[in-house]
Structures are given as C-alpha cells and as structure tokens.
Amino acid sequence: MPMRTITNPILPGFHPDPSICRVGEDFYLVMSTFEYFPGLPIYHSKNLADWQLIGHGLSRPEQLQLSTENPNAFGLYAPTLRFIKDRFYLVCTNVGANEGREGNFLIWTDDIAGEWSAPIWLDTPGIDPTIFADDDGQTYYLGTHKEIYLRTIDLASGELGPRQNIWTGSGAADPEGPHLYKKDGYYYLLISEGGTSYGHMLTMARSRSLTGPYEACPNNPVMTNRSTNLPLQAAGHADLVQDTQGNWWAVCLAVRPISYPLRHLLGRETCLLPVDWSNPWPVFGEEGHLPEIIQVDTAAAPKETQKKTSKPDYVTLFEWDPTLIEEEPHGFLLHPNQTGLSDQGKLAAVFQRQTAFEQQFQATFDCRQLTDGQAGLTVFLNATHHYEGYLEKTASSQQLVFRRQIGSLWKVEKKLPYAADMVTLQLSADKETYRFSVLDEQGQAQLLGSGETKYLTTEVGGVFTGIMVGCYASASSPQQTVRVRDF
C-alpha cells in the first residue's frame, strides 16, 4: 500500500493549545496567542497536514483588552472551537487585570473567515474552557478550576447552570484542558496533566452518564513523550477530530528542544497524530507516543489537496492601534511613540513567528521621516529578553546599533556610523546563534552583531510564548514615521 509521510509539527513556531473541528470536508484549527493581537488565529485545511490562515477570532480592539502585565503569561489561554447548529463558537479565557474584561468568554460567527461577535462574558472560574453538544441538543460548558467541572450553557445568552465537578484527573499535577466526546454510548473525557512542560501527558476517563462517575483509562497516560529521547517533548493539550472516512486524529502541542539541559526556543507547536479507536479505549500515535514522522497508508491518510501557506500571521503586542501601525501593500507604516521593546506596553511594532531553527528574515526601513528615534529588526521573546539591530538617529549623530537584553542585564555591543536614511537589515538564525547584518547596495551582508539562542529560550526567560521576529520603531517626539518594506 502506498504511504504518505507527515512531519510534525504541522504548524511550526508559537502555536500552542490547538483545538480543531470539522465541517463537511473542511477542518478548522485555533490556538492560544496570549498577549499578541490579532488573537486566536483561525486556520483551514482540507487534509489536516497543510494549513492556511483565514482570519482571527479577535481582530477588533473593542472586543476585549489584553493585559500589559506579566509578559508571556497573561492574555488569551487555550481556546476551543466548535460548530454547533450551523454556527461556529469559540470559548476562551482572557487572563489578566483588565477591569471586568477578563475571565472566560464566548464568541460566535456564521462566517468563519469573517468577523466574530463581541464577547459574551461567562460568570464561571478557571481556565481552559470547552463546550460540548449532546445528542438531545443540550450544550455544556466544561472548565478547569482545581478539577474538571461541568455546567449547562445557553450559547445565545451565556447563562450557565449549576456547577458539577466530574473528575480530578489521574493523580498528576495540573489537570486541565478538558474536551468531551461521545462514542458508543460512553462520554469520553480527555484532559492534560503534569503541567505544560516536560512532564506533560494526556489522560482519559469515561462514563455512561454525562455527570459521572468517570472511570479512568487503565492505560493512562494515553499519550506522553516524557522520559523518552524522542525529538518532540512536552506533548499534551490535545483535541480529537474524525475525518470523512471515519478515521480519528488528534492535534496537540509539543516542543522541539535545542540542547541539553532541555531548552526550547520556538515555543509550543501544533502537531498531528493518528488515533486508533477500534477498541473501547483509544491508542494515540505510536503506542501512546507522539512521533515526529507519521507514516500512514494513503487510504487512511489525509488527501494532498493543497499547499502550505507562505503568508505570515502578522501581529503586534496588546492592540493593533492604527495610530501606530498602518498596513500597506508591501509592508507597514510605523508611527512610533516613546514605548520601546523593554517597556511592556503598546508600541509601533509588527511581529511574525520564527518557524524554523535555520531561518532568515529581512526588512528595509525608510527612516527619512525619523529625526530622533530608532527603527530596526528584533528577535523577541519578551520585554526582558530580546536582541535587536537598528538605525538610531539623533540631532547630532546617526548610527547602526546592535543591542542585547537578557533579564535585567543589557548591553550595546556595537555602534557603526551610517549616513543613509534607508537601511536593509537581515537576521539569520540557526540552532545556536542569531546574526544581525546590514546589507549594502549590492546585497552583501556586513555583520552587525550576534547572540546565543539559548538566552532567549523559554527555560531562561519565558513562560508560554515563543520567539517572534519583529520590525519596530520608537521616537522621543511625535509625528514621525518609518516605512517598512519586504518583511
């Protein structure tokens, strides 16, 4: 039988906590975005392996406010996407101090590639919400608050019924990320345990009754890569989907460590694995492990009907403010404020994900309308961990600068006189090093500076996100502009 090879991750770079649903022959996927906006990207696929960005659940600043506190740890947590009675629904948690615009919420749309509703705020605690529609038409909300709990929900109003605690997990730390499925007369509850790090795992329980009691799978954890030498680690937080041929699949998150002791750079990434549910309890992947390479026969494999998209998901921090950022046909027009990369605030910056260890980024900056500020290219984990190469202009000087910040330590490592107002900067990455260069008129690169990747890993300075590469500008006075091309 001919075989097809699928390589994980299917969505590389910072794409954690995936949730999936199918409508006809179309699959849709969403994931967490934390402090980045637009938030909750929606991806579409016909074959489960190749995905195209088609929109965002949160694309308007008036929908909600993202907290500027606690970098990499606040914002949009673990959404769930479902299609119920001809309408798409997203439930999610906005974590942070936002004066009433935080907590769990519900949004909906009839056009998944279009705009989503304003949030319906849900008066219920915890994180990692999901919704489940039973055969009788009743819908339920499941959440994580010390344990997994269940409530009825009216999807039109957000009104919730009484809370019923249904499972505490298998005994490991941090039972979270619940999803509920009904099969062969049983309710199957899939959760994650062990924390979203190297002890991560999937566990499952089932019951004949929705409210329990739930019996744990005798083979728990049903999937984990902990205590293995597999290239994908920290695997967990999964959601299940059935294709048109009746095959079951799971999407989950995992990381690709770059060194020992284990450190990961790109963030938690979305992966795919087959699920054999021919017996009462499902078997995930290869005997309960997430493989990097999936070999499946073409009768069971997703069909190859599309190519992967090359369009980046351009985002910014906290809010896409048109007074700071304007999108143009070939780039962006930045109107800088005084906020810099280290200030943990709304700024004139546009980011895209680093999606491969060996990757190159480039952008041209037109700084003719910048008189007392800086504009450049940054590799960014958070406000306290980033490297950048930039053009700096003052009343008395103009120079290229390479700067690094690692926690509370920062250093300007190189200054190079530069007279032109147009500059093309390049960032080259491999597993060990980031290299910043300036290109001359012939396209030849002159090294501006370099820094180790390990100091920008999650284990050194992050929490829940991954590396972003950005174009930014800041200025000490208003009414200045920087035009960014070909980023």
Side-chain angles (χ1 to χ4, degrees), residues 87-247:
R87 176 166 282 178
F88 291 94
Y89 293 92
L90 269 171
V91 286
C92 188
T93 313
N94 186 25
V95 177
N98 293 312
E99 298 180 356
R101 302 180 76 182
E102 64 180 42
N104 294 298
F105 65 91
L106 166 74
I107 56 175
W108 59 268
T109 186
D110 295 325
D111 177 10
I112 196 165
E115 294 288 327
W116 288 70
S117 72
I120 300 170
W121 295 98
L122 305 175
D123 185 14
T124 192
I127 60 171
D128 295 2
T130 189
I131 46 179
F132 169 74
D134 208 346
D135 297 337
D136 61 3
Q138 178 63 59
T139 51
Y140 295 87
Y141 174 100
L142 286 84
T144 302
H145 185 238
K146 300 179 182 178
E147 57 187 293
I148 309 303
Y149 71 88
L150 175 80
R151 310 179 73 166
T152 60
I153 184 172
D154 183 321
L155 295 177
S157 66
E159 183 178 350
L160 294 157
R163 170 173 170 167
Q164 296 177 279
N165 297 328
I166 59 172
W167 199 37
T168 58
S170 67
D174 302 320
E176 60 189 6
H179 290 300
L180 194 63
Y181 315 92
K182 193 171 186 180
K183 183 178 184 293
D184 300 331
Y186 279 95
Y187 296 92
Y188 286 85
L189 179 60
L190 177 68
I191 71 168
S192 294
E193 297 186 61
T196 185
S197 188
Y198 296 102
H200 213 190
M201 58 183 176
L202 297 178
T203 59
M204 184 173 263
R206 71 176 186 175
S207 174
R208 289 285 187 184
S209 169
L210 179 66
T211 57
Y214 280 81
E215 61 167 317
C217 175
N219 302 317
N220 276 333
V222 292
M223 194 276 284
T224 186
N225 281 14
R226 64 182 184 177
S227 301
T228 71
N229 292 320
L230 294 169
L232 297 169
Q233 290 291 320
H237 201 106
D239 196 6
L240 294 169
V241 70
Q242 196 171 20
D243 66 22
T244 57
Q245 304 301 310
N247 305 302

Side-chain angles (χ1 to χ4, degrees), residues 8-21:
N8 279 314
I10 55 169
L11 274 177
F14 162 49
H15 290 99
D17 309 324
S19 177
I20 191 168
C21 74

Side-chain angles (χ1 to χ4, degrees), residues 61 315-328 331-340 345-351 471-475 477-484:
V315 295
T316 192
L317 283 165
F318 311 120
E319 179 186 338
W320 193 284
D321 185 340
T323 68
L324 298 175
I325 308 165
E326 293 183 64
E327 192 164 2
E328 297 186 321
F332 301 91
L333 188 62
L334 303 181
H335 305 278
N337 58 7
Q338 295 183 8
T339 305
K346 188 171 64 174
L347 75 164
V350 176
F351 298 92
C471 295
Y472 79 98
S474 63
S477 58
Q479 298 183 344
Q480 301 184 57
T481 59
V482 173
R483 180 164 270 111
V484 180

Side-chain angles (χ1 to χ4, degrees), residues 248-382:
W248 285 92
W249 303 86
V251 291
C252 70
L253 67 79
V255 303
R256 291 180 285 170
I258 59 172
S259 62
Y260 185 84
L262 295 179
R263 291 183 288 246
H264 71 281
L265 184 69
L266 303 184
R268 298 170 298 162
E269 307 174 283
T270 292
C271 299
L272 177 74
L273 67 161
V275 177
D276 180 358
W277 211 337
S278 57
N279 292 308
W281 293 103
V283 177
F284 287 70
E286 295 180 356
E287 298 180 345
H289 297 304
L290 169 66
E292 182 180 30
I293 305 297
I294 301 171
Q295 296 281 358
V296 288
D297 66 68
T298 54
K303 296 179 180 179
E304 297 188 69
T305 58
Q306 66 186 73
K307 299 296 182 182
K308 288 186 177 180
T309 179
S310 59
K311 181 183 183 299
D313 181 16
Y314 291 114
V315 295
T316 192
L317 283 165
F318 311 120
E319 179 186 338
W320 193 284
D321 185 340
T323 68
L324 298 175
I325 308 165
E326 293 183 64
E327 192 164 2
E328 297 186 321
H330 300 288
F332 301 91
L333 188 62
L334 303 181
H335 305 278
N337 58 7
Q338 295 183 8
T339 305
L341 293 169
S342 301
D343 293 330
Q344 190 65 14
K346 188 171 64 174
L347 75 164
V350 176
F351 298 92
Q352 59 175 289
R353 292 163 176 83
Q354 182 183 347
T355 57
F357 295 121
E358 296 185 1
Q359 194 169 6
Q360 190 172 89
F361 300 85
Q362 184 173 304
T364 298
F365 298 83
D366 180 348
C367 298
R368 287 175 291 183
Q369 302 302 315
L370 181 70
T371 57
D372 60 348
Q374 60 181 253
L377 199 59
T378 181
V379 56
F380 185 90
L381 177 63
N382 56 37

